[in-house]
Amino acid sequence: MIPIFEQGSGNGIGHGLSSFLRRFDEICAEHLSKGRAKSFAFIFYDFTDQAIRKILKNQGVFAQLDRLSGKELSVFYLHAGTKATVEAFNAHFFSALGIEGQATLPCVVFFRVRDGAIEDVEIAQLESADLIHGFSELYGAIQQYLSAKPAASGEPSRAIRWLKGGAKFLSVELFRAALKKGMEFFF
């Protein structure tokens, strides 16, 4: 679990928003080379979704999700931010990942980075009815992805709707260019 903080660099773990946007491809390459992750994910949520916000701010929840993701998955999420920042962050990354019009909030978007390309985009659509069910659903989505049974599994989940991302292949250079353009929205 890697929080992205709107201002500053966080408290030990995480990234500042501006440094994350500038270094996204380097962060992914570093996690792959150091064996910190084999794939990546973003948790996207609506600023007004208080259940998801509380889940992501809870240290116990953070620890459980961090243990679950382990060295298989680096999960990024915007830890704090204004409504405008959260909305811009979501819109920008939905566009950059090629999932506009496919996913709705809240969701977890999983992907792999191979040979400078973002591929294998999978979307876990969450319902997040309340705090307790929201955590269970988020944990279940990550657990299901890690068990290699996402959208292609044929095993429907009662709470999680899996979608395949539209982009089959997206170069990290194109992604970085989209990030740089999107930084105009944040600064």
Side-chain angles (χ1 to χ4, degrees), residues 7 13-14 26 48 50 56 58 60 76 99 116 118 121 128 136 142-143 148 155 157 179 186:
Q7 297 178 356
I13 297 174
E26 295 169 16
T48 61
Q50 294 301 313
L56 295 174
N58 184 293
F76 302 108
I99 59 171
I118 293 172
V121 177
S128 180
S136 176
I142 293 171
Q143 189 174 43
E155 291 179 29
S157 169
L179 286 177
F186 297 107

mmCIF file of all heavy atoms in Angstrom, residues 7 13-14 26 48 50 56 58 60 76 99 116 118 121 128 136 142-143 148 155 157 179 186:
data_model
loop_
_atom_site.group_PDB
_atom_site.id
_atom_site.type_symbol
_atom_site.label_atom_id
_atom_site.label_comp_id
_atom_site.label_asym_id
_atom_site.label_seq_id
_atom_site.Cartn_x
_atom_site.Cartn_y
_atom_site.Cartn_z
ATOM 1 N N GLN A 7 0.018 17.087 -0.431
ATOM 2 C CA GLN A 7 1.132 17.984 -0.157
ATOM 3 C C GLN A 7 2.174 17.236 0.650
ATOM 4 O O GLN A 7 1.852 16.376 1.450
ATOM 5 C CB GLN A 7 0.657 19.205 0.617
ATOM 6 C CG GLN A 7 -0.321 20.024 -0.178
ATOM 7 C CD GLN A 7 -0.827 21.212 0.614
ATOM 8 O OE1 GLN A 7 -0.503 21.392 1.774
ATOM 9 N NE2 GLN A 7 -1.632 22.021 -0.034
ATOM 10 N N ILE A 13 6.231 6.536 4.565
ATOM 11 C CA ILE A 13 5.742 5.708 3.467
ATOM 12 C C ILE A 13 4.908 6.602 2.565
ATOM 13 O O ILE A 13 4.108 7.387 3.034
ATOM 14 C CB ILE A 13 4.870 4.547 3.986
ATOM 15 C CG1 ILE A 13 5.696 3.614 4.865
ATOM 16 C CG2 ILE A 13 4.255 3.765 2.836
ATOM 17 C CD1 ILE A 13 4.883 2.535 5.533
ATOM 18 N N GLY A 14 5.091 6.464 1.286
ATOM 19 C CA GLY A 14 4.245 7.202 0.357
ATOM 20 C C GLY A 14 5.017 8.226 -0.454
ATOM 21 O O GLY A 14 6.234 8.343 -0.356
ATOM 22 N N GLU A 26 9.332 5.531 -12.980
ATOM 23 C CA GLU A 26 10.520 5.149 -12.211
ATOM 24 C C GLU A 26 10.129 4.344 -10.974
ATOM 25 O O GLU A 26 10.811 3.389 -10.602
ATOM 26 C CB GLU A 26 11.296 6.396 -11.772
ATOM 27 C CG GLU A 26 11.894 7.192 -12.910
ATOM 28 C CD GLU A 26 12.413 8.545 -12.433
ATOM 29 O OE1 GLU A 26 12.580 8.744 -11.203
ATOM 30 O OE2 GLU A 26 12.649 9.404 -13.294
ATOM 31 N N THR A 48 -16.703 12.168 -1.828
ATOM 32 C CA THR A 48 -17.822 12.172 -0.886
ATOM 33 C C THR A 48 -18.111 10.789 -0.300
ATOM 34 O O THR A 48 -18.959 10.663 0.576
ATOM 35 C CB THR A 48 -19.104 12.708 -1.559
ATOM 36 O OG1 THR A 48 -19.434 11.856 -2.659
ATOM 37 C CG2 THR A 48 -18.916 14.141 -2.036
ATOM 38 N N GLN A 50 -17.563 8.597 2.184
ATOM 39 C CA GLN A 50 -16.934 8.617 3.505
ATOM 40 C C GLN A 50 -16.451 7.237 3.954
ATOM 41 O O GLN A 50 -15.442 7.140 4.651
ATOM 42 C CB GLN A 50 -17.901 9.208 4.542
ATOM 43 C CG GLN A 50 -18.212 10.676 4.299
ATOM 44 C CD GLN A 50 -16.963 11.541 4.313
ATOM 45 O OE1 GLN A 50 -16.120 11.427 5.201
ATOM 46 N NE2 GLN A 50 -16.817 12.391 3.311
ATOM 47 N N LEU A 56 -9.404 3.841 4.055
ATOM 48 C CA LEU A 56 -8.033 4.122 3.629
ATOM 49 C C LEU A 56 -7.235 4.898 4.677
ATOM 50 O O LEU A 56 -6.007 4.857 4.665
ATOM 51 C CB LEU A 56 -8.038 4.865 2.295
ATOM 52 C CG LEU A 56 -8.586 4.050 1.118
ATOM 53 C CD1 LEU A 56 -8.688 4.913 -0.128
ATOM 54 C CD2 LEU A 56 -7.717 2.819 0.860
ATOM 55 N N ASN A 58 -7.565 4.328 7.998
ATOM 56 C CA ASN A 58 -7.423 3.481 9.171
ATOM 57 C C ASN A 58 -6.105 2.711 9.117
ATOM 58 O O ASN A 58 -5.856 1.962 8.169
ATOM 59 C CB ASN A 58 -8.611 2.518 9.244
ATOM 60 C CG ASN A 58 -8.580 1.669 10.478
ATOM 61 O OD1 ASN A 58 -7.702 0.824 10.642
ATOM 62 N ND2 ASN A 58 -9.547 1.886 11.348
ATOM 63 N N GLY A 60 -5.027 0.159 10.901
ATOM 64 C CA GLY A 60 -5.198 -1.290 10.957
ATOM 65 C C GLY A 60 -5.583 -1.858 9.605
ATOM 66 O O GLY A 60 -5.080 -2.906 9.190
ATOM 67 N N PHE A 76 -1.475 1.879 -5.084
ATOM 68 C CA PHE A 76 -1.404 3.319 -4.902
ATOM 69 C C PHE A 76 -2.798 3.874 -4.637
ATOM 70 O O PHE A 76 -3.777 3.401 -5.216
ATOM 71 C CB PHE A 76 -0.862 3.997 -6.168
ATOM 72 C CG PHE A 76 0.500 3.515 -6.592
ATOM 73 C CD1 PHE A 76 0.635 2.719 -7.719
ATOM 74 C CD2 PHE A 76 1.636 3.853 -5.877
ATOM 75 C CE1 PHE A 76 1.887 2.277 -8.135
ATOM 76 C CE2 PHE A 76 2.893 3.413 -6.278
ATOM 77 C CZ PHE A 76 3.023 2.623 -7.406
ATOM 78 N N ILE A 99 -9.458 3.789 -19.301
ATOM 79 C CA ILE A 99 -10.657 3.157 -18.735
ATOM 80 C C ILE A 99 -11.825 4.134 -18.598
ATOM 81 O O ILE A 99 -12.812 3.806 -17.943
ATOM 82 C CB ILE A 99 -10.352 2.488 -17.382
ATOM 83 C CG1 ILE A 99 -9.829 3.503 -16.367
ATOM 84 C CG2 ILE A 99 -9.401 1.316 -17.572
ATOM 85 C CD1 ILE A 99 -9.719 2.966 -14.952
ATOM 86 N N GLY A 116 8.419 -1.491 -20.546
ATOM 87 C CA GLY A 116 8.027 -0.112 -20.782
ATOM 88 C C GLY A 116 6.584 0.075 -21.206
ATOM 89 O O GLY A 116 6.237 1.115 -21.765
ATOM 90 N N ILE A 118 2.291 -0.490 -20.164
ATOM 91 C CA ILE A 118 1.239 -0.825 -19.205
ATOM 92 C C ILE A 118 0.285 -1.756 -19.932
ATOM 93 O O ILE A 118 -0.197 -1.445 -21.018
ATOM 94 C CB ILE A 118 0.517 0.449 -18.729
ATOM 95 C CG1 ILE A 118 1.484 1.292 -17.897
ATOM 96 C CG2 ILE A 118 -0.724 0.090 -17.919
ATOM 97 C CD1 ILE A 118 0.960 2.635 -17.527
ATOM 98 N N VAL A 121 -4.802 -4.552 -18.022
ATOM 99 C CA VAL A 121 -5.596 -3.712 -17.140
ATOM 100 C C VAL A 121 -6.879 -4.452 -16.756
ATOM 101 O O VAL A 121 -7.600 -4.943 -17.623
ATOM 102 C CB VAL A 121 -5.937 -2.360 -17.818
ATOM 103 C CG1 VAL A 121 -6.830 -1.513 -16.924
ATOM 104 C CG2 VAL A 121 -4.663 -1.604 -18.176
ATOM 105 N N SER A 128 -19.179 -0.812 -2.145
ATOM 106 C CA SER A 128 -18.866 -0.036 -0.948
ATOM 107 C C SER A 128 -20.101 0.522 -0.246
ATOM 108 O O SER A 128 -20.234 1.724 -0.050
ATOM 109 C CB SER A 128 -17.912 1.103 -1.306
ATOM 110 O OG SER A 128 -17.592 1.856 -0.164
ATOM 111 N N SER A 136 -14.297 -5.293 3.444
ATOM 112 C CA SER A 136 -14.357 -6.683 3.004
ATOM 113 C C SER A 136 -14.289 -6.769 1.480
ATOM 114 O O SER A 136 -13.602 -7.635 0.922
ATOM 115 C CB SER A 136 -15.642 -7.323 3.523
ATOM 116 O OG SER A 136 -15.764 -8.632 3.046
ATOM 117 N N ILE A 142 -8.604 -7.407 -3.922
ATOM 118 C CA ILE A 142 -7.148 -7.579 -3.971
ATOM 119 C C ILE A 142 -6.798 -9.054 -3.844
ATOM 120 O O ILE A 142 -5.962 -9.572 -4.595
ATOM 121 C CB ILE A 142 -6.458 -6.728 -2.882
ATOM 122 C CG1 ILE A 142 -6.645 -5.238 -3.206
ATOM 123 C CG2 ILE A 142 -4.979 -7.077 -2.766
ATOM 124 C CD1 ILE A 142 -6.206 -4.291 -2.108
ATOM 125 N N GLN A 143 -7.464 -9.746 -2.937
ATOM 126 C CA GLN A 143 -7.214 -11.179 -2.745
ATOM 127 C C GLN A 143 -7.533 -11.967 -4.015
ATOM 128 O O GLN A 143 -6.768 -12.849 -4.423
ATOM 129 C CB GLN A 143 -8.057 -11.675 -1.576
ATOM 130 C CG GLN A 143 -7.758 -13.073 -1.132
ATOM 131 C CD GLN A 143 -8.552 -13.411 0.120
ATOM 132 O OE1 GLN A 143 -9.741 -13.090 0.222
ATOM 133 N NE2 GLN A 143 -7.899 -14.045 1.077
ATOM 134 N N ALA A 148 -4.969 -14.804 -8.952
ATOM 135 C CA ALA A 148 -5.007 -14.949 -10.415
ATOM 136 C C ALA A 148 -6.376 -15.393 -10.910
ATOM 137 O O ALA A 148 -6.492 -16.163 -11.842
ATOM 138 C CB ALA A 148 -3.911 -15.896 -10.904
ATOM 139 N N GLU A 155 -15.660 -17.033 -12.446
ATOM 140 C CA GLU A 155 -16.278 -17.161 -11.130
ATOM 141 C C GLU A 155 -16.841 -15.798 -10.746
ATOM 142 O O GLU A 155 -16.107 -14.929 -10.325
ATOM 143 C CB GLU A 155 -15.239 -17.564 -10.077
ATOM 144 C CG GLU A 155 -14.706 -18.947 -10.232
ATOM 145 C CD GLU A 155 -13.675 -19.254 -9.164
ATOM 146 O OE1 GLU A 155 -13.746 -18.687 -8.056
ATOM 147 O OE2 GLU A 155 -12.788 -20.055 -9.442
ATOM 148 N N SER A 157 -18.340 -12.838 -8.682
ATOM 149 C CA SER A 157 -18.353 -12.447 -7.287
ATOM 150 C C SER A 157 -19.670 -11.741 -7.026
ATOM 151 O O SER A 157 -20.144 -10.995 -7.869
ATOM 152 C CB SER A 157 -17.180 -11.509 -7.003
ATOM 153 O OG SER A 157 -17.325 -10.925 -5.738
ATOM 154 N N LEU A 179 0.555 12.062 -18.004
ATOM 155 C CA LEU A 179 0.721 12.556 -16.639
ATOM 156 C C LEU A 179 1.219 13.993 -16.635
ATOM 157 O O LEU A 179 0.725 14.829 -15.884
ATOM 158 C CB LEU A 179 1.706 11.677 -15.860
ATOM 159 C CG LEU A 179 1.217 10.322 -15.423
ATOM 160 C CD1 LEU A 179 2.341 9.557 -14.739
ATOM 161 C CD2 LEU A 179 0.043 10.440 -14.495
ATOM 162 N N PHE A 186 -3.387 19.941 -11.555
ATOM 163 C CA PHE A 186 -3.066 19.901 -10.146
ATOM 164 C C PHE A 186 -2.314 21.124 -9.660
ATOM 165 O O PHE A 186 -2.375 21.478 -8.502
ATOM 166 C CB PHE A 186 -2.226 18.652 -9.820
ATOM 167 C CG PHE A 186 -2.972 17.372 -10.087
ATOM 168 C CD1 PHE A 186 -2.637 16.576 -11.172
ATOM 169 C CD2 PHE A 186 -3.993 16.973 -9.257
ATOM 170 C CE1 PHE A 186 -3.319 15.386 -11.406
ATOM 171 C CE2 PHE A 186 -4.683 15.786 -9.490
ATOM 172 C CZ PHE A 186 -4.325 15.009 -10.558
#
